Amino acid sequence: MGGDAVATAAERIGVTFRKAPRCIAAEVTVTTLDERRGVLALPDVFMNESGRPVRSLMKYFKPDELLVVHDDIDLPFGKLRVQEGRGTGGHNGVASIVRSLGGDTGFWRLKIGVGRPPGRMDPADFVLRRFTKQEQPDIDLVVVEAADVVRSFVAEGPKPARQMAGEVYGRLFGK
């Protein structure tokens, strides 16, 4: 869902992805919103191997801040949370990024809640499964809201993005 949110953010901003320079395994787009430069990227690797492209992006573009957008089974479905730092939470993609940044956990994350797997279902199988037809309308809404949080992060910075993310769940699901 993280990649979907970043792709939707680019679409809503009105920019398109291009192949990154050869040293970076990703598609990228550079934009300026409210005089703040942002680089949106979609790594061309499996999520669990996303550290290498993130490290290359950081080295090449030298952004002031990094926002990693990913799913989180420890958040209720549809809940968004913007946080700085913290551990990997068992997320293999985040662990790959932390390793590639030399153990640095001081980057921002936009976590998209997908809820816990039912019964004894393996969490990896749960997050990799396709959403049902019944779930898809809610997924589409959450992805658009997450994309707007990404846009806010680029345009206004982490604090407004954090506030926006905190308001989404109640607005969408009345909780």
Side-chain angles (χ1 to χ4, degrees):
M1 278 195 351
D4 293 336
V6 173
T8 301
E11 182 181 310
R12 291 171 70 84
I13 293 168
V15 294
T16 56
F17 287 96
R18 294 186 177 86
K19 185 71 181 141
R22 267 192 314 180
C23 62
I24 304 170
E27 293 182 15
V28 299
T29 186
V30 180
T31 187
T32 302
L33 296 171
D34 297 343
E35 300 182 23
R36 288 177 49 105
R37 178 178 168 261
V39 178
L40 302 179
L42 295 171
D44 287 340
V45 297
F46 290 112
M47 177 257 321
N48 291 353
E49 301 168 358
S50 54
R52 185 177 43 84
V54 169
R55 182 183 67 235
S56 298
L57 284 158
M58 296 298 289
K59 190 173 182 180
Y60 187 87
F61 289 102
K62 298 177 180 22
D64 294 333
E65 296 160 318
L66 170 63
L67 176 68
V68 174
V69 184
H70 63 87
D71 57 14
D72 191 315
I73 63 171
D74 291 324
L75 289 178
F77 176 83
K79 188 165 185 75
L80 303 180
R81 180 173 291 156
V82 174
Q83 291 180 313
E84 182 180 24
R86 310 277 173 120
T88 65
H91 194 289
N92 292 329
V94 174
S96 172
I97 293 168
V98 169
R99 281 191 307 275
S100 77
L101 298 177
D104 182 7
T105 60
F107 54 90
W108 290 92
R109 300 108 192 269
L110 169 54
K111 299 176 178 186
I112 304 172
V114 293
R116 299 293 302 172
R120 295 177 182 240
M121 182 181 219
D122 180 4
D125 291 339
F126 178 69
V127 297
L128 294 174
R129 72 178 172 83
R130 292 201 177 273
F131 293 104
T132 66
K133 285 182 181 181
Q134 293 79 18
E135 293 170 320
Q136 198 59 53
D138 287 338
I139 294 297
D140 293 342
L141 286 173
V142 170
V143 166
V144 167
E145 293 289 344
D148 287 345
V149 171
V150 170
R151 185 190 187 293
S152 175
F153 188 93
V154 173
E156 304 168 283
K159 289 181 182 173
R162 177 185 279 170
Q163 182 175 345
M164 177 185 273
E167 297 168 354
V168 167
Y169 190 63
R171 189 171 65 247
L172 289 183
F173 302 105
K175 298 178 182 179

